[in-house]
């Protein structure tokens, strides 16, 4: 199967923070891969803009090293890298001062697609928007790409939305949630709305419950100081897991159009019931012994804050209060230093109303599991007869589909979320970006939960590194007669 490369118009993409970690690990290697795929038009320019005192050549050298490290071994082609680097330019700039802005104004063209990627600390987002406007660089057609986190709570998100709205219309603002750029996440919509098989069953009558898991094996490491002001609820739940929940729970949009899709997602967020303390468990990883005998730091050591009450894990049960989902809980969990690196959505179906086989032992519920990582794909478990002459005994088998296998050579080359999203920006397609009202609604749901913890002085439960999280989180499902799916190593 050959994937189609849809050409884009000539563009100037300015990456504020072009020398930073995100630019080096994701943005520049992603753009290079799009170049390899034939999607970079002649005359397109990528302009790094950051504090470091570099010239074009210095930025190209940095990008060459980043591509070497992060673009993948199979993509290393010296000639192609050289051609790609010709698209790169650099302006040393100070987001908080006057330095560099006139030069940027002189370089950026007004007659091509203009995009400004804010890959800098969130405290600079508002200032960049203002200066782009003040220096007459942006036009009514420019697009700005805003990284996460978008606000720290509802108040700060509203303030940021207002600052951006003073200079850019909503149609110009691309708020990144890179989970939405993942192939599987988009496939969730294809599976639901392009097949007759699932959608008729997609409701509380047939679905017992839904589990969403985003488990990481790494700790907060070098990001400890930043993370300690945020925590799993703000860093992952309010945005990534919430977006996944929306795609599962939303009504079919009338068409695959940015506002039609985002309207339906917004309705889901607004329909979420508040979550009380009995339906949420927070955790914080303890220290542990590593296999090599060296000690592994605990969360409070990583955060360099012995009194920290910040959670590195959160699990919750939430109900979507509408006709479709009445009675079907959504269980969400995410955490660091867990047993395995797994991101998965599991749709667990109900029992058949009556068993004609009498073999209850072998019976398991049907589960549609959508894997985001590792090995993006889908798995549907179905019951069949156990092979052999032993009578009608039931057994569960997977109908497993790895996208990489199913799509052949091309599938092994599934584009990274960032490269897809950046090209969507250039094309002017906002479907996979969060709208301002969505972000605010998500904070409006999150804020009271966090406020409750703060008021009660709630202490996160400890959990061992390499475990599945705190024991109490198991109880969230056990008390409902259900169990979490295993987090595989
Ligand atoms: P970083 O600290 O590695 O890089 C910051 C960049 O901003 C550098 O290029 C620096 O030169 C530039 N910069 C800093 N102050 C400046 C100023 N006053 N004027 C002009 N440029 C200035 O940060 P990062 O990890 O690349 O993160 C960038 C953004 O992306 C942040 O909003 C972060 O939350 C978000 N993000 C990062 C990651 C990641 O994996 N690194 C993941 C998700 C989101």
């Amino acid at each position: 199967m050959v994937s189609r490369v849809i050409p884009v118009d000539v563009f100037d993409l300015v990456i504020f923070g072009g020398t930073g970690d995100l630019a080096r690990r994701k943005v520049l290697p992603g753009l290079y891969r799009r170049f390899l795929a034939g999607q970079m038009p002649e005359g397109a320019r990528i302009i790094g803009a950051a504090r470091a005192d570099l010239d074009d050549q210095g930025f190209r050298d940095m990008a060459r090293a980043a591509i070497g490290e992060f673009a993948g071994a199979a993509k290393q082609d010296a000639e192609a890298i050289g051609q790609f680097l010709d698209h790169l330019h650099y302006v040393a700039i100070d987001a908080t001062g006057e330095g560099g802005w006139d030069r940027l104004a002189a370089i950026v063209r007004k007659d091509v697609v203009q995009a400004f990627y804010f890959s800098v600390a969130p405290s600079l987002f508002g200032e960049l928007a203002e200066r782009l406007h003040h220096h007459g660089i942006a036009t009514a057609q420019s697009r700005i790409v805003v990284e996460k986190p978008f606000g720290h709570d509802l108040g700060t998100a509203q303030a940021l939305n207002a600052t951006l709205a003073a200079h850019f219309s909503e149609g110009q603002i691309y708020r990144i949630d890179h989970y939405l750029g993942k192939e599987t996440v988009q496939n969730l919509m294809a599976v639901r709305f392009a097949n007759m098989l699932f959608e008729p069953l997609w409701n509380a009558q047939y679905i017992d419950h839904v589990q969403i898991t985003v488990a990481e094996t790494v700790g907060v490491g070098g990001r400890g100081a930043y993370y300690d002001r945020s925590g799993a609820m703000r860093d992952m739940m309010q945005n990534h897991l919430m977006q996944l929940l929306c795609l599962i729970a939303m009504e079919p949009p009338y068409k695959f159009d940015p506002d039609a899709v985002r309207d339906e997602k917004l309705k889901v967020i607004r329909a979420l019931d508040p979550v009380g303390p009995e339906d949420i468990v927070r955790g914080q990883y303890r220290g542990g012994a590593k296999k090599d005998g060296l000690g592994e730091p605990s969360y409070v050591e990583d955060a360099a804050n012995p009194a920290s009450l910040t959670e590195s894990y959160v699990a919750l049960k939430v109900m979507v209060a509408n006709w479709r989902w009445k009675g079907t809980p959504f269980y969400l969990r995410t955490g660091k230093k867990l047993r395995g690196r797994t991101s998965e959505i599991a749709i667990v179906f109900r029992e058949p109303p009556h068993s004609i086989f009498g073999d209850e032992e072998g019976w398991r519920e049907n589960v549609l599991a959508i894997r985001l990582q590792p090995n993006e794909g889908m798995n549907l478990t179905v019951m069949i007869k156990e092979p052999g002459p032993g009578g009608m005994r039931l057994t569960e088998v997977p109908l497993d589909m790895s996208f990489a296998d199913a799509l052949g050579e091309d599938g092994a080359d599934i584009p990274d979320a960032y490269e897809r999203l950046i090209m969507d920006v250039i094309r002017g397609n906002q479907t996979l970006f969060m709208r301002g009202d969505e972000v605010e609604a998500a904070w409006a749901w999150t804020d009271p939960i966090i406020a409750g913890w703060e008021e009660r002085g709630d202490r996160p439960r400890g959990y061992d590194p390499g475990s599945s999280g705190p024991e109490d989180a198991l109880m969230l499902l056990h008390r409902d007669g259900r169990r979490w799916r295993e987090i595989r190593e």
Side-chain angles (χ1 to χ4, degrees), residues 140-432:
Q141 276 73 47
S142 309
R143 291 152 203 172
I144 58 169
V145 184
V146 186
E147 258 302 330
K148 79 169 233 191
F150 198 93
H152 185 72
D153 52 21
L154 177 58
T156 48
Q158 283 171 329
L160 181 54
N161 272 334
T163 307
L164 299 181
H167 307 298
F168 296 93
S169 67
E170 185 59 36
Q172 297 179 276
I173 305 172
Y174 290 71
R175 296 175 194 77
I176 284 229
D177 184 323
H178 69 273
Y179 270 62
L180 292 180
K182 287 180 187 281
E183 188 75 11
T184 332
V185 172
Q186 296 169 72
N187 250 310
L188 200 64
M189 284 190 274
V191 164
R192 280 193 63 189
F193 303 130
N195 296 289
M196 202 50 214
L197 195 56
F198 297 109
E199 196 52 26
L201 305 180
W202 212 261
N203 57 53
Q205 191 182 346
Y206 298 105
I207 295 178
D208 179 70
H209 72 280
V210 175
Q211 297 186 20
I212 304 178
T213 300
V214 177
E216 297 175 274
T217 51
V218 294
V220 297
R223 290 172 69 226
Y226 156 78
Y227 190 90
D228 204 40
R229 290 190 298 277
S230 156
M233 191 72 191
R234 288 189 167 100
D235 193 47
M236 298 295 293
M237 190 66 80
Q238 183 271 348
N239 40 45
H240 305 316
L241 280 87
M242 174 74 66
Q243 288 292 324
L244 299 181
L245 184 156
C246 285
L247 295 177
I248 300 164
M250 73 181 184
E251 296 301 316
Y254 76 96
K255 70 175 184 181
F256 193 61
D257 157 277
D259 278 322
V261 170
R262 298 185 301 176
D263 285 346
E264 297 305 335
K265 282 163 54 198
L266 178 63
K267 285 185 209 162
V268 174
I269 304 176
R270 291 196 171 143
L272 293 179
D273 270 349
V275 175
E278 66 288 0
D279 285 332
I280 189 160
V281 176
R282 331 152 68 201
Q284 201 183 63
Y285 58 82
R286 304 189 185 104
K290 257 192 189 160
K291 291 189 186 93
D292 62 10
L294 295 172
E296 250 186 286
S298 64
Y299 174 81
V300 291
E301 285 166 328
D302 274 343
N305 178 7
S308 174
L309 295 179
T310 302
E311 76 285 354
S312 59
Y313 174 99
V314 65
L316 59 84
K317 170 184 175 182
V318 64
M319 305 300 290
V320 182
N322 61 22
W323 278 41
R324 184 187 282 261
W325 295 114
K326 177 80 183 167
T328 295
F330 286 70
Y331 299 97
L332 278 54
R333 64 179 163 168
T334 179
K336 299 199 176 286
K337 283 267 176 109
L338 296 175
R339 264 190 94 193
R341 184 164 175 260
T342 311
S343 297
E344 168 193 272
I345 299 163
I347 317 288
V348 182
F349 289 88
R350 291 193 189 280
E351 288 180 35
H354 166 70
S355 165
I356 65 166
F357 301 110
D359 175 17
E360 303 305 335
E361 250 179 53
W363 187 84
R364 295 274 176 283
E365 61 277 84
N366 300 126
V367 179
L368 174 66
I370 298 140
R371 282 189 310 268
L372 277 65
Q373 70 188 17
N375 185 16
E376 291 195 53
M378 293 196 322
N379 180 40
L380 176 67
T381 55
V382 291
M383 299 308 299
I384 60 161
K385 176 191 164 299
E386 200 175 86
M392 181 54 95
R393 295 175 65 86
L394 298 178
T395 189
E396 175 190 54
V397 290
L399 298 179
D400 200 350
M401 184 178 115
S402 145
F403 292 155
D405 293 347
L407 303 179
E409 270 179 29
D410 267 15
D413 210 13
I414 294 173
D416 175 73
Y418 279 92
E419 60 187 276
R420 171 186 310 271
L421 292 174
I422 294 169
M423 285 300 144
D424 277 358
V425 174
I426 305 296
R427 273 197 290 269
N429 185 341
Q430 288 186 304
T431 311
L432 300 176

Side-chain angles (χ1 to χ4, degrees), residues 17-23 25 50-52 93-96 119-122 124-125 147-149 418:
T19 60
D21 178 66
L22 184 69
R25 279 192 313 110
R51 258 190 320 199
I93 209 160
D94 181 5
T96 59
S119 183
V120 294
L124 299 176
F125 293 165
E147 258 302 330
K148 79 169 233 191
Y418 279 92

